[in-house]
Every structure is written in structure tokens, then in C-alpha cells.
Amino acid sequence: MAGAAAAQVRIKDIATFEGVRENQLVGYGLVVGLAGTGDSLRNSPFTEKSIEGMLERLGVGNLSEDQIKTENTAAVMVTASLPPFARRGSTIDVVVSSLGDASSLRGGTLIVTPLTGADGEIYAVAQGPIAVAGYAAQGANASIVEGVPTVARIENGATIENEIDFELSELDSIRIALRVPDFTTAVRVESAINGALGGGTARALDPGTIEIYPTDKSDIPGLIAGVENLRVNPDTVAKVVIDARSGTIVIGADVRIGKVAVSQGGLTVMVREEIEVSQPEPFSVGETVVVPQTSVTVEERQTNFAILEGDVSLQRLVDGLNAIGLGATETISILQAMKAAGALHADLEII
């Protein structure tokens, strides 16, 4: 098709299959074994209540608030992602983040923490020693912090206890969701699938969804594996992205401009300060005086017009801007001015 991108990519790199996704899990727990860097119970009352509840479940009760003065415990939030088709007994990584005023989680151990999904069901249980990448050190008058010592990870720290019921063989159709919705790309994906599996197998429903109607449901995984490795030419909107903070400019291959004349000029003001010392003659009456000398020079940079032809390629556009001898800041200003003049036929996004 006309306007196709130069590079072919696999469908799996630009789309996902509906239903095949991760699910987010979250839980609340306690990290113990900290070397005095845990929550202060005065400022974190929820930590104290959690300690009381944990000890009561373990048979240690009837403790007053004055008897719990530990600084080796921290309340944390535990998060994880449940992979698609995860089975009972398999393990996943978890991230442990401090909830109170603990200064560091280094050296701690997470106590059994149930992880629940959005439906409130428990899908995994996390426990184990945590690994902290950052560190914190503090003295009487100075301190140093490297990284974030209040966030840690546990590799394979949670065991899956519940599965999400999802059977591919029960699907009447399979839907593909494009990560960047586009009508042209959706039609090209539809054509690629119909060309490989037969006419009428796939149909584009909207710019972001293509539906596949399998004729044989006995091998759905094999069907998905074949579809996701088909190659298509994804189409993109002409866009210029500018990061004004770093001066980064990214220009898409389909960007076109109308015929314009561009000039960039300005003044350069140089201020130079020199210090001169005036001293009296030997054996004379006087004082040493410091006399500042200031010189101001104004240079006007020569302004040249560069004509940028209409409907040019990306290379010609870049060469035209470089011919004026501009830096990143000036180029950003020119692109904004082109957009305002209606000569830049692309979306201009400033981040």
C-alpha cells in the first residue's frame, strides 16, 4: 500500500492478544529484622497495630502500647504482577515499599503477606529476605543517601496460590489489540492474516482491534504463534517530538513541509571585566587603588535565508535546517514558527 513504512515488524511487536495480559497484585505486610532503621511507632501507629495483630495470631497477647517499643519493624506495601496463565506453585518477583517513616529496609525479612487482585481474591503469598539496592548512612552532622533504601525487591518472593480461569479453547474468536491504534495498520494486519490463513479469517473492527475467527480450535496456541510472527508495515502519523529541556528533536519519516524561506538571526553581546591596580610611586604619598575596566562588544550575526522546498524528504528537511547553522534551541523555534505558519504538515508535540 502507498505510504507504507519502510521496515516490516512482527504483529507481536505492535499488538497484544486480548485476554493475554498481566494482572496487578497488592498486599500489606511487615518487614522485621531491621537494625534500628524501622518505623518509629509514635509516628506510625498502623505499624504498632499490625505488630499487635501479628503477635496475637502467633499466641503472644495482652501487650500494652508501652511494652512495644521496637525499632526493627517497618510496615510495607507489597506489589507484584501476575503473569498470564500462571499456575499454582510457580513463583513471581515482588516489590516491597516502605509505608511509614523507616529510613532503610536493608537486612529485613518480609513476613507472610497475602497478595490480592482487584476482585479482592488472594492469588499469591509473599515472604522472604529482601534485597535493597540503595543505602543510607548518617552521622552527627552529615548524612548520605544513595538510591532508595526504602524500596526493595524479592526475587521469586511470592508463590502463586490461585489461578485465573481462562481457556483459549473456549473462545469463539481471538482479538488483537494494536498498541497504537491506526486504521491503515489495522487493515494491513487484517490483510496479512487473511493472506496466511485464508480469506475471511480476520476482520478489522476499529483502528485498534482485529478479530480472528479460527476454523479449527484444537490448536489455538499454534494459531496465535503463527499470527504473531506475521510481518506487516505499520503506518504512523507524521509527528515532530521536541524535548525542550534537553534540546532533543525527533522528526518522523513522513513529516513534510510547504515551501518556506527561513532566517534566524540575533545579537551577541560580550561583556569583559578586567581589573587594573594603580599604585603610587615609591616614597610618595598615596594609596593602592583597584580600578575595574569594563568593555562591552556587540556583534550582529549575519542572517541568511534558506529556502526549504515543499514535500521534501526527512533528509532534505534536516539538511536545510543544518545549512543555516542552527543549534537545537534555534531549530525548535523554527519548527514552532513553521507550525504556526501552516507550513509544517505534522503534529508538533512538546514534552
Side-chain angles (χ1 to χ4, degrees), residues 10 34 39 44 51 64-65 98 116 122 129 132 163 173 183 186 191 199 202 238 249 286 294-295 307 330 350:
R10 299 175 301 175
L34 304 176
D39 295 338
S44 305
I51 295 174
S64 64
E65 295 182 358
S98 175
T116 60
I122 297 176
V132 179
E163 301 176 4
S173 63
F183 278 109
S191 300
I249 305 171
T294 302
S295 61
I307 298 179
E330 292 85 356
I350 301 177

Side-chain angles (χ1 to χ4, degrees), residues 93-104:
D93 299 341
V94 299
V95 177
V96 181
S97 305
S98 175
L99 190 62
D101 60 353
S103 60
S104 176

